[in-house]
Amino acid sequence: LLGVNPVEFATTFINQVELFRTGISLHTYELLDLWGGVVLAEKQAQFPAEMAKLFPGLKPSRPVTSKDARIPDVRKKWEAMMETKGIPADKVDLMIRAFLWLSDLFARDGIDAAGIHCWTSFEQFFQITPCAFSAMANSLLKVPIVCETDICHAVMARLAWAMTGFPGVILDLNNSGWDPRVFSFFHCSQTPVEWISGKAQLTTQTI
C-alpha cells in the first residue's frame, strides 16, 4: 500500500486480517516517501544551497534524480510502448523517476503487486497522475500497480500474470443509460499497453 485508502473510494476497503490469513503480507508506505525521493530530491540536486536552508539535514529515502544513469534506457522502452509527445518533457521525466523509485522499492522488499493512492493527492503534489508509470510497472516489471490502494484489484492483476503469463487489468462495466446497447469499460487505474490496439497514446488528464 502506497498511501491511504481514500474515503471517496470506500468500495476499495478490505479486511486486511483476512489477507494475512490467506498468506498475503502487506507493506505500507507513505506517498511522502515517493514525493521526497523524486520531487524533493530533484529540487535538492538543482538548488542545493537554497534547499539546504529550507530543509536542513533532510535526506530523502532512495533519491532518484534526473541524473540517474538508468533513465535513458527506461525512456527508450517507454517510447517504444507509448507516444509521449503531447506531454511536457519534465513530467515524463518525473514519471520515469517515479517508476525507478518504485522498482527499487519493489526489488528491496520483494513486492509482487501494489496499490497507490491517487485522487487527488497525486494531482496536487506531483502534478501528474500515476496511470502511465503504473501501467509500465505491470508490463516491464510484472508488478501491477493499481489505483486507490485497491488491493483486491492488485491481487487479481497479479494472478493474471501467474495464470496466463500476460498482464491483466480489472475494468468496470458501465452503461450510462442513454442507450442500452452501449457500454464502456473503465477503471481508474492502469491499463497495460498490451491491451491497447496499436501504440498507446499518453495524453493530459481531462477529469
Side-chain angles (χ1 to χ4, degrees), residues 50-68:
E50 294 86 342
M51 293 300 290
K53 292 179 181 179
L54 290 172
F55 304 99
L58 184 59
K59 296 181 180 180
S61 174
R62 300 177 302 281
V64 179
T65 70
S66 57
K67 294 182 180 180
D68 194 296

Side-chain angles (χ1 to χ4, degrees), residues 71-103:
I71 289 178
D73 181 59
V74 174
R75 189 185 301 276
K76 287 181 181 179
K77 292 177 180 177
W78 275 42
E79 291 175 348
M81 301 179 80
M82 66 175 63
E83 181 60 66
T84 63
K85 288 183 179 179
I87 306 300
D90 63 318
K91 301 305 181 186
V92 176
D93 178 77
L94 179 56
M95 293 178 196
I96 291 175
R97 288 188 285 113
F99 168 83
L100 287 171
W101 190 92
L102 288 167
S103 66

